[in-house]
Amino acid sequence: MTFEEDTEIRDITVIGAGPVGLITAFWAGMREASSRIIDSLPDIGGQLTTLYPEKWIYDVPGYPRVLARDLVEQLREQAVEQFDVPVHLEVTADHVEYEPDPEDPEKQILRLVTDKGDLRTRTLVIAGGHGAFEPKKLPGYDMTPWEGRGAHYLVGEKAAFAGKNVIIVGGGDSALDWTLNLLDTAAGITLVHRREGFRAHEVTVSEVEQAAESGKVDLRVPYQVKDVEGNGQIEKVTLFHSEDDSDVVEVPCDAVLLQLGFKTALGPLKAWPLEVEKGAIKVDPVMKTSMDAVWAAGDITTFDGKLKLIATGFAEAAIAVAQAVHHIRPEMKIQPKYSTNTGVPGAVEGQV
């Protein structure tokens, strides 16, 4: 269904097509509520698709490990296909207007104004992940001239690093994860971090240290990038010791993978009358925002005890949908029936 054809007043409009947005549409379907999804990105999956489609994820219940892109595909089948949910990509939500419900003037609906036109909905669930994000640049050295010439911020396909000598810069989870994930792909890996300690899971740090001890990874800590050389493409990087800049080492390489984190922003949502705390949307214990008929779930939210995990985002989405459906149809119970008894209500014919 094209954007222009989607004129129906939907029960729930989901902002964000990442894993939490997709599962929100699934929970809506399970409660026999109509939904749609919009996202400003060109593909579904959010950060899983944009940042690390070939990265293993280990903390999704039921999967000992699953590739990010495969998890997105499973969620797409579970939600979008099973309940025939319209997904509108490269659409940015601008603001919300409240207006009378044409079916019941005593009730209100929301008109979601986007850069492509207006969508009408009874409720909204914001599941926009971290919001808009862009990679952080390397401090102390301008890598801009080498972007597209060997400097990378994302790993779309591991094959892009096949047989190459790769320098990975960073000390967080992503830097260490890619150090391990590229061991079977790259010809050689040098991990560079400007501090002694890493900001990553203890198990991952231990695995990287073991790989370094066995000679699979050249660990350069605490070092920083001093210079980059090459004829059209990166061929050599000069590093200096963070505590002694006379300690310099030259490392031949074909690619530099910069894993320094991401700047996140709420984008247009920042201007909405939402209560925001440290760049995240504040919600109450049932995922309600400060706006009428608007809930939120996933990494974009904050509340006491918040955990930024896919697993908790899935649960937050279930709570948000239950509340949204109860708002639309007050006679419906908050607690859903168990799927073991009901199966999948209203699913597209032929889907199980």
Side-chain angles (χ1 to χ4, degrees), residues 48 51-58 65-69 154-164 166 168 172-189 191 203-205 207-208 211 216-217 257 259:
L48 297 191
L51 304 185
Y52 38 79
E54 295 200 356
K55 193 170 171 182
W56 289 107
I57 299 174
Y58 297 90
R65 68 175 191 169
V66 59
L67 279 176
R69 67 181 180 198
L154 308 173
V155 182
E157 293 183 354
K158 286 169 64 174
F161 298 93
K164 293 184 177 180
V166 182
I168 299 176
D173 284 310
S174 291
L176 273 69
D177 284 348
W178 280 122
T179 298
L180 297 173
N181 279 332
L182 290 176
L183 281 175
D184 62 351
T185 303
I189 295 177
L191 176 60
V203 173
T204 311
V205 174
E207 288 179 8
V208 168
K216 295 176 182 176
V217 173
L257 178 56
Q259 293 290 283

Side-chain angles (χ1 to χ4, degrees), residues 13-313:
T13 294
V14 184
I15 299 176
V20 175
L22 292 168
I23 207 67
T24 301
F26 167 75
W27 294 128
M30 291 297 285
R31 299 303 297 263
E32 299 186 75
S34 61
S35 70
R36 67 164 69 85
I37 300 172
I38 71 163
D39 199 298
S40 59
L41 295 172
D43 299 293
I44 67 167
Q47 293 191 43
L48 297 191
T49 299
T50 306
L51 304 185
Y52 38 79
E54 295 200 356
K55 193 170 171 182
W56 289 107
I57 299 174
Y58 297 90
D59 59 358
V60 176
Y63 292 97
R65 68 175 191 169
V66 59
L67 279 176
R69 67 181 180 198
D70 292 344
L71 178 60
V72 171
E73 174 55 24
Q74 292 287 315
L75 288 166
R76 188 192 66 78
E77 287 184 25
Q78 185 178 18
V80 175
E81 275 195 25
Q82 192 162 218
F83 293 109
D84 196 21
V85 177
V87 179
H88 305 301
L89 300 171
E90 298 184 277
V91 173
T92 301
D94 185 75
H95 67 277
V96 167
E97 297 173 1
Y98 292 87
E99 59 185 46
D101 186 338
E103 296 175 14
D104 184 351
E106 291 189 7
K107 293 182 179 178
Q108 280 190 324
I109 62 168
L110 296 81
R111 180 178 294 276
L112 180 63
V113 179
T114 80
D115 60 343
K116 298 285 172 65
D118 297 355
L119 297 167
R120 295 187 302 164
T121 186
R122 293 184 176 87
T123 62
L124 274 175
V125 175
I126 303 170
H130 288 289
F133 54 88
E134 62 177 85
K136 288 182 182 176
K137 302 289 184 175
L138 181 67
Y141 186 85
D142 184 12
M143 291 294 293
T144 308
W146 298 102
E147 291 171 5
R149 300 164 62 198
H152 304 260
Y153 295 95
L154 308 173
V155 182
E157 293 183 354
K158 286 169 64 174
F161 298 93
K164 293 184 177 180
N165 288 308
V166 182
I167 291 178
I168 299 176
V169 182
D173 284 310
S174 291
L176 273 69
D177 284 348
W178 280 122
T179 298
L180 297 173
N181 279 332
L182 290 176
L183 281 175
D184 62 351
T185 303
I189 295 177
T190 301
L191 176 60
V192 179
H193 183 40
R194 61 181 176 172
R195 300 189 185 94
E196 285 281 1
F198 293 106
R199 307 177 316 280
H201 290 298
E202 294 88 343
V203 173
T204 311
V205 174
S206 177
E207 288 179 8
V208 168
E209 288 173 344
Q210 288 173 18
E213 286 170 14
S214 63
K216 295 176 182 176
V217 173
D218 181 13
L219 201 55
R220 296 286 178 176
V221 291
Y223 279 85
Q224 300 179 51
V225 173
K226 179 182 177 69
D227 195 20
V228 179
E229 297 175 55
N231 184 15
Q233 292 283 323
I234 292 177
E235 296 172 3
K236 181 173 67 176
V237 173
T238 304
L239 307 172
F240 71 93
H241 195 284
S242 295
E243 295 162 9
D244 178 8
D245 58 13
S246 66
D247 179 354
V248 174
V249 60
E250 293 182 348
V251 182
C253 73
D254 309 296
V256 175
L257 178 56
L258 299 151
Q259 293 290 283
L260 304 164
F262 292 84
K263 289 188 262 183
T264 59
L266 290 175
L269 295 178
K270 198 172 183 180
W272 291 26
L274 293 161
E275 189 176 351
V276 175
E277 188 177 283
K278 294 181 180 177
I281 298 170
K282 202 164 183 182
V283 294
D284 70 9
V286 293
M287 302 300 119
K288 182 80 170 60
T289 74
S290 55
M291 290 178 65
D292 186 42
V294 179
W295 287 261
D299 284 354
I300 204 165
T301 67
T302 184
F303 53 85
D304 287 345
K306 173 71 182 180
L307 290 176
K308 290 189 175 184
L309 298 171
I310 292 175
T312 50

